[in-house]
Amino acid sequence: KAGVTQTPRYLIKTRGQQVTLSCSPISGHRSVSWYQQTPGQGLQFLFEYFSETQRNKGNFPGRFSGRQFSNSRSEMNVSTLELGDSALYLCASSTGLAATNVDTQYFGPGTRLTVL
Amino acid sequence: AQSVAQPEDQVNVAEGNPLTVKCTYSVSGNPYLFWYVQYPNRGLQFLLKYITGDNLVKGSYGFEAEFNKSQTSFHLKKPSALVSDSALYFCASRPPSGYSTLTFGKGTMLLVSP
């Protein structure tokens, strides 16, 4: 089974621009979660999508948004980029069936975003 | 609210020696606990998880973790460390019901010397 894929792997943008990151989950997984990883803040949860609906959201400004398509692929968008948005953005997929003990999150390789 | 603490920023161990990476948790109810490993410029790789049952959980690459409810700990262990185990290790928790969202510790860098 193919793992979680994220594109692009690396991005360089300038302040004020916007960016869209893409994530394709493991086949059969309906939940996609996004995390931001920085040296200072560690791993922070952005949001989770399940069956095309956002069902959980972290404490990030509205500049960070996402969506999920009917094939479970997800995109994350950051508008009006700031220097502090430079980070590794990780996507994780799972079945989304939180009540079961098989619901493990599997992570993609991440997208390294650099904002200049 | 959930929280996970990894009290050590770095753990140094010689190859062949046993290793322990510490994790303590503060979770209401029965926790779901996870360990992930991250190699440079890579995503997180799942190692093992505790849901319920045996307190000793075995995972990938020879790693295991011991769940201790009285000490609210979930330490990661391996009997004999390899240089290739050098990486960043994250402990995480998730509520037993509801969303899948993981709360991570800050991470512990494991350095295994030859």
Side-chain angles (χ1 to χ4, degrees):
Chain A
K1 220 178 214 186
V4 179
T5 58
Q6 292 186 245
T7 57
R9 291 293 311 278
Y10 301 91
L11 268 176
I12 299 176
K13 293 285 186 179
T14 56
R15 281 182 297 174
Q17 287 186 310
Q18 75 166 19
V19 67
T20 299
L21 313 181
S22 180
C23 172
S24 292
I26 292 170
S27 177
H29 284 187
R30 295 164 61 190
S31 169
V32 173
S33 297
W34 289 88
Y35 295 84
Q36 182 197 63
Q37 185 179 18
T38 59
Q41 300 298 318
L43 279 155
Q44 294 185 287
F45 170 73
L46 281 155
F47 29 66
E48 180 199 6
Y49 285 86
F50 178 78
S51 292
E52 302 180 66
T53 301
Q54 186 185 91
R55 70 174 181 179
N56 197 12
K57 188 177 187 302
N59 189 25
F60 278 81
R63 300 186 296 107
F64 292 82
S65 62
R67 59 178 176 169
Q68 187 179 35
F69 302 95
S70 59
N71 62 357
S72 295
R73 188 177 70 86
S74 177
E75 287 183 348
M76 187 191 109
N77 186 76
V78 188
S79 62
T80 319
L81 284 166
E82 300 177 359
L83 295 179
D85 297 334
S86 294
L88 181 66
Y89 289 89
L90 292 163
C91 158
S93 84
S94 69
T95 63
L97 305 175
T100 72
N101 63 8
V102 297
D103 189 36
T104 298
Q105 291 197 357
Y106 296 94
F107 285 78
T111 294
R112 173 74 64 184
L113 173 63
T114 302
V115 182
L116 304 175
Chain B
Q2 299 182 84
S3 66
V4 174
Q6 294 180 244
E8 303 155 317
D9 290 335
Q10 185 168 307
V11 169
N12 297 293
V13 65
E15 188 174 33
N17 284 357
L19 70 87
T20 298
V21 182
K22 296 180 180 177
C23 171
T24 59
Y25 65 89
S26 175
V27 176
S28 56
N30 295 318
Y32 286 177
L33 297 167
F34 301 78
W35 276 102
Y36 287 85
V37 60
Q38 186 177 36
Y39 295 96
N41 299 315
R42 302 282 293 276
L44 275 65
Q45 293 181 28
F46 168 72
L47 282 178
L48 52 79
K49 66 182 177 184
Y50 173 82
I51 305 298
T52 187
D54 289 341
N55 291 339
L56 186 63
V57 180
K58 293 190 182 297
S60 306
Y61 314 119
F63 284 94
E64 56 190 27
E66 187 171 9
F67 173 73
N68 188 317
K69 190 170 184 177
S70 63
Q71 297 185 5
T72 62
S73 67
F74 188 56
H75 300 333
L76 181 70
K77 300 181 179 185
K78 188 174 183 182
S80 178
L82 300 172
V83 172
S84 58
D85 292 331
S86 298
L88 186 57
Y89 290 80
F90 290 95
C91 181
S93 70
R94 202 203 84 192
S97 62
Y99 306 129
S100 306
T101 305
L102 293 172
T103 299
F104 285 91
K106 64 180 180 179
T108 298
M109 178 63 72
L110 173 67
L111 294 176
V112 181
S113 55

